[in-house]
Structure formats: C-alpha cells, structure tokens
Amino acid sequence: MTLFVDTSVWSLALRRDAEANGAEVQALKGALAGDAVVVTTGLVLQELLQGFSGAKASQQIVERFTSLALVQPDRDDHVAAAGLRNTCRRAGVQLGTVDALIAQLCLRHEMTLLSTDQDFVHAARHCALEVWSPKGAKPRR
C-alpha cells in the first residue's frame, strides 16, 4: 500500500509537548517501519515548516522528509483539483484548495490518504478517494 500522509498526522506525530497515541499516528509509525510506502508533497512539507518554529525543528523536519518519495502536482492535477473542489462545494462539502490538491494527488497516484481531517472523509463521498481507517473498519469513501 502507498500511504499519503497529511499534515494533520505529521503534526501530531512530531509534537514534543504531548504523547501521540492516536490510530493515525500509530499507522504512520507502522508505515515508516515498513508496513507501507510513505509519500508526501511539497505543500505538506511547507505547512509543517510553517507550523513549527525554530531552526533546529525546521532542520529536523527537512532531514526526516528527505527519505520520503515526493509527488509533484502538474497542470492537470491543478485543473482536476479545482473540479473536485467545485463538485464537493455543490454537494455542500467545504474542501480547501490545498486539500483538494492533496485529494487529487491521491486519486491520480492511487494512494490511500492518512489524515485526521474529516473534510477528506466527506469529500470521499463524492469521488473515489480512499481515506485510511483503522484495521477492521472498511476504508472510508
């Protein structure tokens, strides 16, 4: 399985002020240990770097991300993401611009999305996005 890990999960996993025990963080740890291929994109890296302060924290994040596969959106991804966002909006689902692009990247590359953001679960009802869910539960679509 290829797992695209959203900023929400990385933020929880990288926090030092609280123990991260949620199912999503445990899934990330398992994936990094070899259970799955972990993929990211530049936007997630940028969001993390903007959310953590200090040169040391930034350097550690950059170093950790150097081993991850990085998917790059192209023009078609941006066009499709806009279409996905519009489809969701017409259905009453608010999906942000960055989230729509992340969803599109997951769709194009057939990746499962690991996120704590429920907006993706709502969006998955209107497209083929597969959102990770704990073992025993069916994938959220």
Side-chain angles (χ1 to χ4, degrees), residues 95-114:
L95 190 64
T97 300
V98 171
D99 289 350
L101 185 57
I102 287 171
Q104 169 55 30
L105 289 172
C106 289
L107 290 166
R108 177 176 145 208
H109 296 283
E110 298 179 349
M111 298 181 289
T112 300
L113 177 62
L114 178 60

Side-chain angles (χ1 to χ4, degrees), residues 9-119:
V9 178
W10 283 114
S11 293
L12 289 173
L14 295 173
R15 287 181 61 177
R16 294 183 186 266
D17 62 343
E19 183 68 28
N21 293 324
E24 291 84 0
V25 173
Q26 295 308 313
L28 171 58
K29 289 178 181 179
L32 291 170
D35 292 349
V37 174
V38 177
V39 175
T40 193
T41 191
L43 287 169
V44 170
L45 177 58
Q46 181 179 341
E47 286 181 328
L48 283 171
L49 292 170
Q50 291 170 176
F52 285 83
S53 61
K56 185 177 180 180
S58 293
Q59 180 182 2
Q60 288 175 341
I61 291 169
V62 170
E63 287 173 4
R64 289 179 181 187
F65 271 63
T66 58
S67 64
L68 300 179
L70 191 71
V71 292
Q72 300 287 347
D74 62 18
R75 181 187 315 262
D76 292 339
D77 289 316
H78 290 283
V79 171
L84 175 59
R85 186 170 187 268
N86 291 338
T87 296
C88 287
R89 187 180 63 228
R90 284 191 295 276
V93 175
Q94 296 300 315
L95 190 64
T97 300
V98 171
D99 289 350
L101 185 57
I102 287 171
Q104 169 55 30
L105 289 172
C106 289
L107 290 166
R108 177 176 145 208
H109 296 283
E110 298 179 349
M111 298 181 289
T112 300
L113 177 62
L114 178 60
S115 179
T116 62
D117 187 340
Q118 291 300 301
D119 289 345

